[in-house]
Structure formats: structure tokens, C-alpha cells
Amino acid sequence: MIIILLGAPGAGKGTQADLIGERLGLVTIASGNLLRENIGNGTPLGLRADAYMQRGELVPDGLVIDMVTARLKAPDVARGVILDGFPRTLGQAQALDANLAAQHKQVDRALYLKVTDEALLDRLSGRWICRNCQASYHEKFNPPRVGGVCDLCGGELYQRNDDRRDVMENRLRVYFDQTMPVIEYYQANGTLVEIDGAQDIEKVGEDLLAAVGPVPAVVVEGVTDSSAA
Ligand code: AP5
């Protein structure tokens, strides 16, 4: 099962990827998190990506496609995956399709979280992220149990550099220019399902799970795994 989560910055992709990933027993690959890990580790990819991310621009396709393609080869992805933040250009969508087709796979659902621009800016300005596991909180809509501390792993919470107002506005512009065509691409091939992302977090999760339906069992080396919902 290959699921893509689409939506503007702040639409709730990361929040929902964690929530439905756990319910469906699927691994999440978040391109933004992979890039931030590379920056944190000072890798050559991280050094190149950092300047683009600080300006709220997309990292060039070649770098991101190679990074995600390598991650998709890991054994934990065999059962399926939720892609958060990738693809976000037509070039990335076409590269993903070609990569999956070579493995006799395809995108099963492209789930589009739709939220108004005003709500997006509110969400991003109140967002706090765990430095350790990258879980996402909001000071008003989804606060941690203890201020500044991650509920899941006890890590320190911080605010992302690119959640500054000027960078946020650029990220939204880039999204409308470069990622809206990706939404149209999946609409045209019949895999897109639009979800009202303005509802509360639990209700959005329920709608997403209903749109996905049951995850088919897979057979890995003779063992049938149908453990998820
Ligand atoms: P990335 O990390 O992917 O950021 P993004 O797409 O801008 O999305 P966000 O993480 O900001 O938002 P989200 O939708 O995950 O929302 P969240 O769940 O946190 O990308 C960052 C940068 O990396 C890009 O600008 C680019 O430079 C680069 N990059 C990444 N992928 C790339 C690619 N494929 N190609 C090229 N470059 C790439 O929620 C937001 C807040 O709202 C949280 O506080 C949350 O608690 C709250 N919230 C969530 N849902 C609700 C709800 N239903 N009600 C109320 N509050 C809610």
C-alpha cells in the first residue's frame, strides 16, 4: 500500500502521517524530516539543502528524488509506506511512478488535506517540534502534556526556522506554484481523495482512515502479515 499525503505547509500532513501510520502499521517517510536529519548531521546533502529550506524554497528535484528513492529501498518499507511531503513537483511525481512501476507497484491513494490559508498561518506560527523524534505539537490546538517536552520520547521541543512569517509566506507561494499541479496530476489519474483538513485532528484522522480502507495483507518470505487494522 503506497499512500501519499498532500497539502500546504501546516495542513497537518506530519501530524496525520504519525497518527494513521501507527493505526495502519505502515512506515512514514517525511522528506522534510529526512532533509533536516541531513542538515543536523552535516552531510553533503544537508549542506546543499539548508539554504533552500531557510528561504522556503524547494530543494532541487535530483537531490530529493535520490534521497527518497534510497529510503524506499529499505526493508521496513516492504509492507507499504506513507509519504509525507513527497512528491511536491511534477518531476518528483513522475520519478516516483517510474520507480514504483519498476517494482510492479503504484500509488494507491493520494490524500489531499485541504485547509484555508488563514488557518495554515495560525497553525505554523504555534507549532513546536520534537528535536529528537520530530513529533509535531501546537501550543493551542495540540499542546504537549508538559510545556516544551515531547509526550512520546521526552525530547526538547523547538520552533522551526522556516516557520518565521516571511519564510512561511514564501513556502505557501511555492506550494501554490509547484505542488498544486501535483494535486491535479493525481486527480487526473483517479487516485486523489480530498479530505477536510480544517476539522479537529481526530476527525481528520478518521476521514483519512476511511479513505484508505483496509490495508491488504502481504506475504514476505512465506509469512503472511495482516496485522494492521
Ligand atoms: P516539510 O518539512 O515537508 O514542511 P511542509 O510541507 O512545509 O509541511 P509542514 O511540516 O510545515 O506542515 P504539515 O502539513 O506537516 O503540518 P503539521 O502536521 O506539522 O518541508 C520543509 C522544507 O523542506 C520545504 O520548504 C523544502 O525546502 C524542503 N522539502 C521537503 N520536502 C521536499 C520535496 N519533496 N522537494 C523539495 N523540497 C522539499 O501541522 C502544523 C501545525 O498545526 C502543528 O502545530 C499541528 O499540531 C497543528 N495541527 C495539525 N492538524 C491540526 C488540526 N486538524 N487542527 C488544528 N491544528 C492542527
Side-chain angles (χ1 to χ4, degrees):
M1 173 68 85
I2 312 288
I3 299 170
I4 294 177
L5 278 181
L6 292 163
K13 302 181 297 296
T15 303
Q16 296 298 335
D18 290 347
L19 203 144
I20 69 168
E22 193 182 333
R23 289 286 299 279
L24 297 170
L26 295 180
V27 170
T28 298
I29 298 178
S31 47
N33 288 352
L34 290 179
L35 289 166
R36 281 184 287 277
E37 275 169 32
N38 275 280
I39 293 172
N41 294 332
T43 67
L45 168 61
L47 293 174
R48 289 189 64 187
D50 194 20
Y52 293 98
M53 292 174 74
Q54 293 211 26
R55 292 192 297 264
E57 291 169 13
L58 294 183
V59 175
D61 275 359
L63 297 177
V64 179
I65 291 167
D66 287 351
M67 175 186 77
V68 175
T69 303
R71 179 65 185 86
L72 281 170
K73 288 184 183 145
D76 62 345
V77 175
R79 186 167 189 276
V81 68
I82 300 174
L83 288 169
D84 160 11
F86 181 93
R88 56 217 258 173
T89 64
L90 277 179
Q92 293 179 18
Q94 285 156 355
L96 176 65
D97 278 354
N99 182 314
L100 293 175
Q103 304 170 56
H104 310 289
K105 294 181 185 170
Q106 61 186 21
V107 171
D108 295 289
R109 299 275 190 290
L111 304 172
Y112 168 36
L113 294 175
K114 196 167 181 190
V115 179
T116 62
D117 292 2
E118 302 74 50
L120 296 171
L121 293 172
D122 265 2
R123 286 184 187 185
L124 293 176
S125 57
R127 171 165 65 179
W128 290 79
I129 307 277
C130 175
R131 220 176 262 291
N132 180 43
C133 75
Q134 317 249 10
S136 174
Y137 298 87
H138 192 281
E139 54 198 29
K140 196 160 66 182
F141 307 129
N142 183 27
R145 284 193 292 270
V146 177
V149 180
C150 178
D151 291 354
L152 302 179
C153 72
E156 180 200 2
L157 303 185
Y158 77 105
Q159 289 197 289
R160 272 169 44 180
N161 284 339
D162 61 350
D163 282 348
R164 283 196 345 248
R165 180 101 194 178
D166 55 330
V167 184
M168 264 192 279
E169 287 173 353
N170 197 34
R171 285 163 62 202
L172 284 177
R173 267 193 297 277
V174 167
Y175 166 76
F176 286 112
D177 285 353
Q178 301 192 50
T179 307
M180 284 309 284
V182 177
I183 291 166
E184 287 155 16
Y185 176 82
Y186 289 113
Q187 187 158 40
N189 74 15
T191 45
L192 192 82
V193 182
E194 186 175 308
I195 304 287
D196 178 5
Q199 308 172 94
D200 66 43
I201 291 173
E202 287 70 26
K203 182 68 175 74
V204 175
E206 284 168 20
D207 286 1
L208 288 169
L209 289 170
V212 172
V215 177
V218 289
V219 177
V220 180
E221 291 174 7
V223 178
T224 303
D225 175 4
S226 57
S227 55

